[in-house]
Amino acid sequence: MNPNELLRIVDTIHRDKKIAKETVFLGIEAALISAMKKRFPDEQLVSVVIDRATGEIDASYDGKKIPHTEIAERIGAQTAKQVMIQKIREAECDRVYDEFHAQLDSLATGIVHRYDNGMVSVTLPGIEAILPKTEQIRGDSFRPGDRVRAVIAEVRKQGSRVKVILSRTRSVFVTRLFEQEIPEVADHVIEIKSVSRKPGVRSKVAVWSADQRIDCVGSCVGLRGSRIKNIVEELSGERIDIVPWSKDMVEYISSALQPAEIEEVILCSMLGRAIVLVNEKNLSLAIGRYGQNVHLASKLCGWDIEIMTQDELAGQLERAVNALCTIEGVTPELADLLVGEGFTSYDDLSIIEPDDLVRMSGLSEEEVDSIIAEAERRADEQEQSTVKEERKS
């Protein structure tokens, strides 16, 4: 192989395929070794080194130099070419994979190339990506030539190719749209603390700023809703609730359940549960259609939120105390303490930390273990009974 021709090939591959020259040289060296393996009894003893400056090939077997004429004789040109192409493809695959893997969760804009049974092929710079039906928002409609925005959700190798999966349903897609449409978010003046989402239906976004002079919600909405309007349109009409984040969990949960008016929030820290009290008028509003509002608020805040009225709470507490008192070892005083911490069912009590129950009750470890075991047994019985009733209906 002519040294100047070799250097020209390396430079062309480097520019066209955007593969580092050193990677190309290593690939060619590996290709030459692979091509020579049929001519020499032990491939491990074959060494090939290419001078990066001159393109000269220095080959040896078991420490003995192989003349250039013998290299040409021993290596089939077609075999060397095939192996070289394979090595270069592998290097290109690695480069593309590394490039797009570094872009995971970032926003990508491409052109729809093909639409086939719900699967959308999207042309991105350097690759054709896939937007599966499962990663599309309800109401999305695409035609070839349409511009589409999505986040890079997955990057994986398939043989010598790289498969890039896009998504418009992930919560991070909402975050990236906020960063693109709202300068204060892009500049980190406003921080998105959390996002919960039912794609195509509703999202809740918690925002916060270290600068108390900034109206986070107002900045995200924009004048007459101009900023949020662009995001809603991109999300095919998905409703977006912008919530002010607060480290005060009572305040945060109350805001997350908007537009319902909240009377009181009771935090049960040991269970990560919040009991939210509302009046009858706000009960359905707090829960939302098909439970959407409370479900999204729970995901946003990271707490299990239970909505009820004052009367419902009073009834639940009374029933819970009476039920827990039927377990041997649980006194009315201990039952009151447990219910006050949010343990209102056998299932709740079955997952309490034994050390916590020892601290609350003053009982021995053996007595505590017995109480928890009984609670677990009763919880299982209730679950089996519920399953039987569901089957009957």
Side-chain angles (χ1 to χ4, degrees):
M1 186 178 291
N2 184 286
N4 291 329
E5 180 67 12
L6 177 61
L7 292 178
R8 188 190 65 78
I9 291 172
V10 170
D11 187 61
T12 300
I13 294 172
H14 166 65
R15 285 186 287 104
D16 292 350
K17 302 294 185 180
K18 298 180 181 178
I19 302 173
K21 286 186 177 182
E22 180 61 21
T23 302
V24 180
F25 276 118
L26 292 173
I28 294 174
E29 289 171 346
L32 292 174
I33 290 173
S34 296
M36 294 169 72
K37 66 182 181 182
K38 292 183 179 180
R39 303 289 181 173
F40 292 95
D42 190 346
E43 181 185 347
Q44 301 298 320
L45 298 177
V46 178
S47 171
V48 175
V49 178
I50 300 173
D51 189 298
R52 278 25 175 186
T54 66
E56 290 286 343
I57 299 175
D58 181 17
S60 63
Y61 178 72
D62 197 15
K64 298 178 181 178
K65 187 177 179 63
I66 303 173
H68 290 171
T69 53
E70 189 176 345
I71 294 175
E73 291 174 0
R74 289 181 176 272
I75 301 175
Q78 188 62 29
T79 301
K81 181 180 178 182
Q82 289 174 350
V83 176
M84 194 181 304
I85 289 172
Q86 178 62 29
K87 293 295 182 181
I88 290 169
R89 281 177 178 169
E90 290 174 2
E92 184 180 12
C93 177
D94 290 340
R95 178 194 65 78
V96 173
Y97 175 82
D98 291 342
E99 177 185 342
F100 283 93
H101 191 267
Q103 299 178 52
L104 278 173
D105 288 340
S106 65
L107 191 65
T109 301
I111 303 298
V112 174
H113 174 65
R114 186 172 62 255
Y115 184 87
D116 184 18
N117 291 326
M119 182 78 76
V120 181
S121 296
V122 181
T123 302
L124 299 178
I127 201 167
E128 186 168 295
I130 299 298
L131 178 60
K133 182 68 176 176
T134 54
E135 298 293 344
Q136 297 171 34
I137 303 170
R138 185 179 67 182
D140 275 348
S141 178
F142 302 105
R143 291 176 299 181
D146 286 350
R147 192 174 69 94
V148 60
R149 287 192 286 183
V151 290
I152 296 175
E154 262 184 86
V155 180
R156 56 176 180 259
K157 293 180 181 178
Q158 288 191 332
S160 61
R161 300 181 62 187
V162 175
K163 189 172 185 179
V164 175
I165 308 297
L166 303 177
S167 173
R168 288 170 52 81
T169 63
R170 311 288 174 96
S171 293
V172 70
F173 183 46
V174 175
T175 301
R176 297 294 173 256
L177 291 176
F178 267 69
E179 291 171 350
Q180 189 170 73
E181 297 292 340
I182 302 166
E184 292 88 343
V185 176
D187 295 338
H188 305 292
V189 175
I190 293 176
E191 180 182 348
I192 294 179
K193 286 287 191 176
S194 180
V195 177
S196 62
R197 185 180 182 208
K198 184 173 177 60
V201 181
R202 190 174 184 179
S203 286
K204 287 183 181 286
V205 181
V207 294
W208 175 83
S209 177
D211 189 342
Q212 299 303 311
R213 297 170 299 176
I214 293 177
D215 176 8
C216 296
V217 174
S219 296
C220 291
V221 172
L223 186 63
R224 296 190 182 90
S226 57
R227 289 177 170 179
I228 200 66
K229 179 183 177 183
N230 294 335
I231 298 174
V232 170
E233 287 178 353
E234 180 65 44
L235 297 176
S236 299
E238 185 173 314
R239 177 179 172 182
I240 299 177
D241 299 337
I242 302 176
V243 175
W245 179 87
S246 174
K247 61 182 177 182
D248 181 339
M249 198 52 62
V250 170
E251 182 181 333
Y252 186 25
I253 290 173
S254 297
S255 298
L257 287 166
Q258 291 176 0
E261 294 181 8
I262 308 304
E263 291 184 345
E264 186 180 358
V265 177
I266 303 169
L267 300 178
C268 306
S269 301
M270 293 176 69
L271 283 171
R273 176 182 297 162
I275 297 174
V276 177
L277 301 179
V278 297
N279 58 31
E280 289 286 352
K281 181 182 177 181
N282 282 274
L283 184 60
S284 60
L285 193 60
I287 295 172
R289 189 179 184 186
Y290 305 120
Q292 283 175 11
N293 195 50
V294 66
H295 175 67
L296 290 174
S298 293
K299 287 179 64 180
L300 190 74
C301 301
W303 284 66
D304 181 14
I305 299 175
E306 192 172 349
I307 309 290
M308 60 182 68
T309 64
Q310 290 278 4
D311 291 342
E312 288 174 335
L313 176 62
Q316 185 186 74
L317 295 181
E318 183 179 355
R319 289 191 298 273
V321 169
N322 292 335
L324 295 181
C325 281
T326 63
I327 297 177
E328 185 177 353
V330 178
T331 64
E333 293 76 20
L334 177 56
D336 281 331
L337 282 173
L338 289 168
V339 170
E341 289 291 343
F343 296 91
T344 59
S345 68
Y346 297 134
D347 191 47
D348 291 340
L349 187 55
S350 70
I351 62 172
I352 192 173
E353 290 293 334
D355 290 345
D356 289 334
L357 188 51
V358 167
R359 176 180 52 78
M360 293 172 65
S361 65
L363 298 172
S364 66
E365 291 184 6
E366 292 76 12
E367 291 171 317
V368 161
D369 289 341
S370 176
I371 290 172
I372 295 175
E374 177 61 18
E376 186 173 355
R377 186 187 69 78
R378 296 190 186 190
D380 288 341
E381 283 184 353
Q382 286 185 338
E383 184 178 356
Q384 292 172 10
S385 177
T386 301
V387 170
K388 287 180 180 179
E389 290 298 323
E390 289 176 350
R391 286 175 179 171
K392 287 180 181 179
S393 59

